[in-house]
Amino acid sequence: MRLKHFRALTLIAAIGFVLAGLSGCGVNKIPTLDEQVKAAWSEVLNQYQRRADLIPNLVETVKGYAHQEQQVLTQVTEARAHATQMQLPADILSNPQAFHQFEQNQAAVTGALGRLLAVAEAYPDLKSNQNFLALQSQLEGTENRITVARRDYILAVQEYNTALRTIPQRWIASILYPDMKVRETFTITEQAQQVPQVKF
């Protein structure tokens, strides 16, 4: 009887030792990093949604002053609609085509907003309008938040992708988490690098 208890205790101790060893070598690191990437991505989407929610108010405010700038107003509205109507697939973070389509749609909104705000400079009354100033300030704040959220996402993806590609995490992932894939990250498009030009 004592021998059975001793074997049982030995087995439990051995299992505990193995589990402690596995947790010590980072067996849970990949899922932890994956969750960080997902959280960072949610914040990126949250900030893009905040921007999309502000745009209709900005467009309506500018519309009252800048009737002849209808083309710019239309471009902003269409870019926003295109960006918000995109159905994001569940695998967007590991699907390069879908990720870059999302990125291009958001870059189009950024470019259209830049042109709209540049056009507003030509209208002194608009520049002093309290609604416009408040909306412009909120949009600038949102753009800053988007930049921070994208940076946090890029850093989370860098850590996650590095773990998936380096030993021993690569081995652990291939054995315990074979469905984990390298995540996509943001790039700077040529369009985003160009300064908006306004001609009168």
Side-chain angles (χ1 to χ4, degrees):
M1 191 72 164
R2 284 185 178 178
L3 187 59
K4 282 186 177 181
H5 284 356
F6 180 72
R7 285 184 181 165
L9 287 175
T10 305
L11 181 61
I12 290 171
I15 290 172
F17 182 72
V18 169
L19 291 176
L22 284 175
S23 66
C25 72
V27 73
N28 290 322
K29 185 172 184 175
I30 297 294
T32 302
L33 294 176
D34 185 46
E35 290 304 316
Q36 289 174 355
V37 168
K38 289 176 184 174
W41 177 246
S42 293
E43 184 58 20
V44 168
L45 293 178
N46 180 42
Q47 295 306 328
Y48 278 131
Q49 184 60 52
R50 183 177 193 273
R51 178 174 72 175
D53 293 344
L54 288 171
I55 289 173
N57 293 330
L58 180 69
V59 168
E60 286 304 313
T61 301
V62 174
K63 209 182 264 188
Y65 287 88
H67 298 291
Q68 62 270 41
E69 305 300 345
Q70 192 62 40
Q71 181 182 3
V72 176
L73 295 169
T74 302
Q75 287 172 351
V76 172
T77 304
E78 287 175 355
R80 176 193 179 269
H82 197 62
T84 57
Q85 290 172 358
M86 180 182 176
Q87 296 295 319
L88 299 181
D91 69 342
I92 188 165
L93 298 182
S94 57
N95 179 336
Q97 184 177 357
F99 188 90
H100 293 299
Q101 182 61 52
F102 172 82
E103 188 177 19
Q104 288 175 348
N105 289 347
Q106 294 300 334
V109 175
T110 300
L113 277 174
R115 288 188 293 280
L116 177 64
L117 293 174
V119 161
E121 291 295 315
Y123 297 91
D125 291 341
L126 175 59
K127 287 195 299 184
S128 64
N129 176 282
Q130 293 303 311
N131 288 337
F132 177 77
L133 291 174
L135 286 166
Q136 184 180 24
S137 175
Q138 288 182 43
L139 273 170
E140 288 169 354
T142 299
E143 291 299 320
N144 289 336
R145 287 185 180 105
I146 288 170
T147 300
V148 169
R150 283 173 55 131
R151 183 205 64 209
D152 291 347
Y153 171 79
I154 289 167
L155 292 174
V157 167
Q158 178 188 16
E159 188 176 1
Y160 171 82
N161 286 350
T162 301
L164 275 184
R165 292 177 170 174
T166 55
I167 296 170
Q169 294 302 320
R170 182 176 183 164
W171 294 337
I172 293 170
S174 66
I175 295 167
L176 298 176
Y177 312 108
D179 58 331
M180 296 293 186
K181 296 178 182 171
V182 170
R183 302 297 193 193
E184 290 297 311
T185 191
F186 289 103
T187 58
I188 298 176
T189 62
E190 284 186 34
Q191 179 184 2
Q193 293 177 20
Q194 295 174 0
V195 177
Q197 293 185 357
V198 180
K199 296 177 182 175
F200 294 102

